Amino acid sequence: MKKVIVVVLLIVSFTTFAQEERKTGSKRAEMEKMSPEQRGELRLKRVSAMLNLTEKQQKEIAPILAEQQQKREKAVADFKATKEKGTKPSAEERAARAKQREDDQKAMTDKLQKILTPEQMKKWEDMKERNKERMMEKKAAMRKED
C-alpha cells in the first residue's frame, strides 16, 4: 500500500513540475516579461535579419513596427476587457474589428512597399504566409484539445 501511495505522489509531483516548467519556460512568458520597447527591438532585429535590411531601412521600418505593436497591444487589452466582462462582441463588432485589421494590414503593406525592395517584399509576404499557416495549425491543435 505504501508503494502505491509513493508512486501516486511521484506521478503527481512530476506532472505538476512539468506543467510549471512549460508555463515558465515558454517563449510567450519570456516575451510578456519584456517591455514594449524591448519587444519592438527584438522584432526589428528579427525582421532585419530575415530581410537583410540596410541601416536606412531599419530606421524607416522601426516606427512602423512600433505603431503596429501599439495597435496590437490595444486590441489585446480590449479583448481581455471584453472577456472579463463576460460578454461576447456582436457580429457587427466582430466584422468591424476584422475590417479594421484588414485596413491596418493594407496600410502597413503600402508603407513597407515604399521602403523595401521587391525581393525583400517577397520575403516579407512569404514570412507572413508562414506565420499565418502556423497560427492556423496552433488553432486547430487547440480545438482538438478542447
Side-chain angles (χ1 to χ4, degrees):
M1 183 68 176
K2 288 182 182 180
K3 290 181 182 179
V4 171
I5 293 173
V6 170
V7 169
V8 169
L9 287 174
L10 284 173
I11 291 172
V12 170
S13 64
F14 283 131
T15 305
T16 305
F17 179 73
Q19 289 177 356
E20 188 65 32
E21 185 177 309
R22 190 180 96 197
K23 192 184 299 182
T24 59
S26 71
K27 287 183 182 179
R28 184 177 198 166
E30 291 174 20
M31 291 294 282
E32 288 175 355
K33 291 179 185 176
M34 293 181 181
S35 70
E37 294 82 20
Q38 289 173 324
R39 286 191 300 265
E41 289 174 19
L42 181 63
R43 183 154 188 239
L44 180 61
K45 285 179 184 177
R46 270 195 233 134
V47 169
S48 297
M50 289 180 179
L51 301 178
N52 299 321
L53 298 179
T54 64
E55 287 291 322
K56 181 182 176 194
Q57 287 175 323
Q58 287 179 21
K59 289 178 183 175
E60 293 174 348
I61 287 180
I64 296 171
L65 294 178
E67 177 186 353
Q68 185 186 33
Q69 180 68 25
Q70 289 174 343
K71 287 180 182 181
R72 185 179 300 118
E73 288 175 1
K74 183 183 179 305
V76 167
D78 291 345
F79 177 78
K80 285 182 180 179
T82 303
K83 190 174 183 178
E84 287 177 2
K85 290 179 186 175
T87 60
K88 292 189 176 186
S90 67
E92 294 85 23
E93 290 173 332
R94 286 194 307 268
R97 287 180 186 170
K99 177 148 179 34
Q100 183 63 44
R101 269 193 313 271
E102 288 175 13
D103 292 345
D104 290 344
Q105 287 175 353
K106 178 151 178 33
M108 184 169 174
T109 301
D110 292 343
K111 290 176 187 177
L112 289 177
Q113 283 179 336
K114 295 175 184 174
I115 299 169
L116 299 177
T117 66
E119 296 163 349
Q120 290 171 327
M121 198 63 201
K122 173 90 170 91
K123 284 183 184 178
W124 173 262
E125 294 295 331
D126 291 344
M127 185 173 65
K128 276 180 38 178
E129 189 62 35
R130 278 194 312 271
N131 288 342
K132 187 176 179 179
E133 289 171 4
R134 276 191 292 175
M135 184 61 73
M136 296 302 277
E137 289 172 3
K138 285 181 182 180
K139 283 183 180 181
M142 289 176 68
R143 286 186 183 126
K144 283 183 181 179
E145 290 177 3
D146 291 339

